[in-house]
Amino acid sequence: LVYSDSNPLKRILHADATLDSDGNPIRKKKVVVLGSGWSGYSFLSYLNNPNYDVQVVSPRNFFLFTPLLPSVTNGTVEARSIVEPIRGLMRKKGFEYKEAECVKIDASNKKIHCRSKEGSSLKGTTEFDMDYDILILAVGAKPNTFNTPGVEEHAYFLKEAEDALNIRHSVIDCFERASLPNLTEEERKKILHFVVVGGGPTGVEFSAELHDFLVQDVAKIYPKVQEFTKITLLEAGDHILNMFDKRITAFAEEKFQRDGIDLKTGSMVVGVTADEISTKERETGKIVSKPYGMVVWSTGIGSRPVIKDFMQQIGQGQRRVLATDEWLRVEGCDGVYALGDTATINQRRVMEDIAAIFNKADKGNTGTLNKKDFNSVVKDICQRYPQVELYLKKNKLKNIANLLKSANGEDTQVNIEKFKQALSEVDSQMKNLPATAQVASQQGKYLAKCFNKMEKCEKKPEGPLRFRGEGRHRFQPFRYRHFGSFAPLGGEQTAAELPGDWVSIGHSSQWLWYSVYASKLVSWRTRMLVISDWTRRFVFGRDTSS
Ligand code: FAD
Ligand code: MG
Ligand code: MG
Ligand code: MG
Ligand code: MG
């Protein structure tokens, strides 16, 4: 090793730096990761490239296993069982972590402005700037209130670990308050009226968990007030769980009816005060106000303020959600990537690129494609445009050749017009990926793998299409693999929708759900804790202290 300075301390400082051809240490590229949730944690776990100096900024120093969060609200699972501290991973990987929130991104100077938690007594230590070469946005999203008045002030959200604990305390608090003497029946009914807003998976699961808790535990502990309890689930659309298979929706709606959960569809919340929740009923157009004891708000997600501001800076101010390309690079901003709930992928339309695709395939420039030309690009088209595969699947076509045949008869020669015609419908299958943990973690893993081979790939950046024989090191665009969805419905029953149109509802799915989540929990430590929580619940019932 040749160092211009023989100072031993300097040598130690430089010990892990790689050297350039002149023997000078190369400055590592600084990668700043914002967020330690599903996408950020997954990215960090799979990243193995010693050429990066990795810095993580997140206001919470743990990963949260969100699918089990509704189970924390009633004490089936303990909050600490579903969090995984990130310090261990940081140490193992040699990454640096700062517990703070990024409040401002300065895209043109490649800087971020951060603020640590309030309450620090030392002035000047709560805010700091960091610069970056590459920025990874994995900050997730925030609950969306659609600016409904009173929601921020009076409703509970279910997004973070502390939200679940707050809900748990509040539910038990309602029962204690309703059990006090000198209350009228009306007052007890009001206090024990639990309203859940939003019939998506989280709202439904929370209602189901709450119902189980009321029936299985509260009935024993607060028998005197049990008759006054009521759960109302409000949904603005026609059905709950509308992203699931119709059979699951129907089953869930019937089950809730049987359970006595008051399910109100076509009912849009227009305001919440300290005592009442008001809805506009679609059928009658009337505004109805009802007294409540507690409201849980779960109607979807929106962009965080720091991302909104960033979008303004980079010319995406008109969009609702930050857009990336299929390689997860933020559009209109160099060196910034976005994953998970923070962004959506702006997929390319086949029709926009149709001429380019045709020309690439038409090797001899004959103006027509024959079977051989065609076969050489089929795989790449399917890779690059996921909608093609979806379209083929939906129309039960084996491959694009069949699609061309159906448009073109038996003729195997296709000109550009015929080619266009055959593919004209495929873009209708384009769908945004759902905001789920499955998508976020797959994106984190995908991006880490790209970063692991970045040096090779940087020399040959990807083109609009990757054709066989060209640039072996090019990155493939991100592709999502769906492994199925679960909707726990309470009473030890879970609906599962698995790939291949496979729907299963009932107790067996409940066990499938338990085992899938037990196997997905990130570490053996959390796995042990959750399984022992479940066992404890089966044996002793839930904990009702608050
Ligand atoms: P998150 O996991 O939310 O992570 C965001 C991270 O960024 C957090 O660490 C946060 O602290 C940090 N952060 C926030 N702001 C800043 C900032 N300004 N600067 C720096 N860091 C910041 N999905 C499923 O697939 N299956 C399920 O069963 C399921 N159940 C769910 C149940 C509930 C109750 C909830 C709320 C969600 C559920 N989801 C489920 C959805 C899933 O949790 C999200 O899609 C997923 O968390 C998205 O991952 P993410 O990395 O984008 O964001
Ligand atoms: Mg994250
Ligand atoms: Mg998370
Ligand atoms: Mg999120
Ligand atoms: Mg997304």
Side-chain angles (χ1 to χ4, degrees):
L1 291 180
V2 190
Y3 281 102
S4 51
D5 197 327
S6 58
N7 181 337
L9 183 62
K10 252 198 177 152
R11 197 176 294 172
I12 292 166
L13 287 174
H14 288 162
D16 69 345
T18 17
L19 303 182
D20 67 12
S21 50
D22 300 329
N24 299 317
I26 299 171
R27 193 182 75 92
K28 288 184 179 185
K29 270 203 177 156
K30 188 160 165 188
V31 177
V32 174
V33 181
L34 302 183
S36 55
W38 276 99
S39 57
Y41 195 84
S42 158
F43 175 76
L44 294 166
S45 332
Y46 285 99
L47 185 63
N48 281 316
N49 190 335
N51 298 322
Y52 290 119
D53 162 19
V54 180
Q55 310 264 342
V56 183
V57 175
S58 176
R60 56 173 211 223
N61 63 358
F62 53 82
F63 164 80
L64 172 67
F65 191 83
T66 49
L68 288 178
L69 201 53
S71 310
V72 174
T73 59
N74 66 7
T76 306
V77 173
E78 291 297 325
R80 64 172 175 281
S81 305
I82 62 165
V83 307
E84 181 68 21
I86 66 165
R87 282 284 179 189
L89 182 69
M90 297 293 106
R91 200 187 52 226
K92 199 171 100 197
K93 298 258 179 176
F95 300 161
E96 213 175 285
Y97 169 69
K98 297 192 174 60
E99 188 177 86
E101 193 180 347
C102 168
V103 288
K104 172 107 187 152
I105 300 163
D106 178 357
S108 48
N109 294 311
K110 295 206 156 193
K111 263 191 191 342
I112 57 168
H113 188 66
C114 305
R115 191 178 298 150
S116 69
K117 268 190 201 140
E118 284 166 48
S120 168
S121 56
L122 301 168
K123 262 217 176 111
T125 57
T126 51
E127 302 206 1
F128 57 92
D129 286 341
M130 280 171 85
D131 45 15
Y132 62 83
D133 297 306
I134 297 168
L135 182 64
I136 315 275
L137 302 175
V139 297
K142 71 176 184 46
N144 199 349
T145 65
F146 301 98
N147 296 321
T148 312
V151 175
E152 291 279 355
E153 297 87 329
H154 305 296
Y156 286 82
F157 298 117
L158 181 51
K159 194 84 175 67
E160 300 295 333
E162 66 230 78
D163 294 339
L165 292 176
N166 287 341
I167 289 176
R168 179 172 172 182
H169 292 162
S170 174
V171 170
I172 295 178
D173 194 48
C174 286
F175 278 95
E176 294 296 353
R177 276 193 295 138
S179 307
L180 292 174
N182 304 333
L183 291 176
T184 65
E185 195 167 293
E186 281 313 302
E187 284 167 329
R188 288 190 221 276
K189 274 190 179 153
K190 172 185 178 296
I191 295 171
L192 294 179
H193 182 205
F194 300 95
V195 181
V196 182
V197 186
T202 304
V204 166
E205 188 178 349
F206 172 69
S207 311
E209 291 273 357
L210 184 62
H211 173 265
D212 282 1
F213 182 54
L214 301 188
V215 171
Q216 296 167 6
D217 303 78
V218 169
K220 291 178 212 142
I221 306 161
Y222 305 93
K224 281 193 196 132
V225 294
Q226 206 231 345
E227 58 177 309
F228 304 117
T229 61
K230 182 177 171 187
I231 302 173
T232 303
L233 175 59
L234 301 173
E235 161 61 45
D238 289 330
H239 291 286
I240 58 171
L241 296 177
N242 58 17
M243 64 292 290
F244 278 87
D245 190 279
K246 283 195 188 67
R247 287 166 282 180
I248 292 179
T249 298
F251 181 88
E253 288 178 353
E254 269 165 41
K255 179 171 186 302
F256 278 11
Q257 218 106 56
R258 275 201 310 276
D259 287 349
I261 295 175
D262 191 7
L263 170 62
K264 286 212 157 61
T265 53
S267 193
M268 196 170 84
V269 177
V270 292
V272 184
T273 66
D275 302 298
E276 282 187 337
I277 180 160
S278 308
T279 54
K280 185 172 178 171
E281 302 301 316
R282 204 184 33 228
E283 266 176 18
T284 58
K286 283 202 185 109
I287 307 264
V288 182
S289 295
K290 289 228 170 75
Y292 71 84
M294 184 183 173
V295 172
V296 174
W297 189 271
S298 163
T299 59
I301 53 174
S303 298
R304 292 190 187 278
V306 61
I307 298 297
K308 280 257 174 245
D309 174 75
F310 171 64
M311 288 164 72
Q312 290 287 349
Q313 294 177 43
I314 60 166
Q316 287 201 27
Q318 300 303 313
R319 293 187 50 98
R320 208 173 50 82
V321 187
L322 182 69
T324 69
D325 63 15
E326 293 95 326
W327 291 270
L328 309 182
R329 300 175 300 193
V330 170
E331 293 188 336
C333 189
D334 249 13
V336 184
Y337 296 77
L339 315 172
D341 290 358
T342 312
T344 56
I345 296 175
N346 208 356
Q347 292 169 44
R348 288 197 71 88
R349 294 173 180 278
V350 172
M351 277 306 128
E352 278 168 13
D353 300 344
I354 193 99
I357 298 171
F358 189 88
N359 290 338
K360 268 279 190 194
D362 183 17
K363 297 236 166 59
N365 270 332
T366 55
T368 55
L369 297 188
N370 59 32
K371 215 172 168 185
K372 205 169 133 225
D373 288 337
F374 197 69
N375 285 338
S376 70
V377 288
V378 163
K379 203 174 144 209
D380 293 312
I381 295 179
C382 287
Q383 263 288 346
R384 185 69 178 76
Y385 306 92
Q387 62 266 42
V388 175
E389 232 166 46
L390 291 172
Y391 183 82
L392 295 176
K393 212 183 260 168
K394 195 175 160 221
N395 289 285
K396 303 207 160 60
L397 292 163
K398 256 220 219 89
N399 51 40
I400 307 190
N402 290 9
L403 178 64
L404 285 180
K405 235 188 203 164
S406 67
N408 203 32
E410 284 305 305
D411 198 352
T412 45
Q413 299 273 325
V414 219
N415 63 19
I416 178 102
E417 283 315 312
K418 289 265 167 63
F419 191 59
K420 257 191 202 168
Q421 208 184 327
L423 292 173
S424 61
E425 297 283 312
V426 295
D427 286 332
S428 65
Q429 291 302 308
M430 288 202 320
K431 254 192 267 163
N432 277 339
L433 293 177
T436 62
Q438 275 191 56
V439 171
S441 61
Q442 286 180 33
Q443 289 184 336
K445 182 174 178 184
Y446 162 82
L447 196 65
K449 291 197 159 170
C450 292
F451 272 61
N452 289 344
K453 53 178 185 178
M454 189 67 97
E455 287 80 10
K456 279 184 199 158
C457 296
E458 263 178 352
K459 289 176 198 132
K460 292 184 176 179
E462 68 296 319
L465 259 179
R466 180 189 147 273
F467 287 98
R468 197 163 298 159
E470 285 182 20
R472 214 178 296 137
H473 297 308
R474 290 175 187 207
F475 298 131
Q476 302 284 327
F478 171 72
R479 284 299 291 276
Y480 172 58
R481 283 185 65 204
H482 185 64
F483 292 113
S485 329
F486 292 91
L489 301 172
E492 302 302 313
Q493 301 205 55
T494 288
E497 188 174 340
L498 301 171
D501 204 27
W502 200 75
V503 167
S504 147
I505 303 167
H507 297 277
S508 58
S509 312
Q510 178 78 18
W511 284 103
L512 185 63
W513 185 78
Y514 281 162
S515 53
V516 165
Y517 281 123
S519 69
K520 281 213 168 147
L521 285 170
V522 281
S523 71
W524 283 104
R525 178 188 150 274
T526 46
R527 243 172 259 177
M528 283 292 297
L529 288 172
V530 168
I531 289 168
S532 79
D533 286 346
W534 279 337
T535 315
R536 179 178 46 76
R537 208 280 277 143
F538 271 112
V539 180
F540 301 109
R542 298 180 184 87
D543 180 8
T544 51
S545 60
S546 79

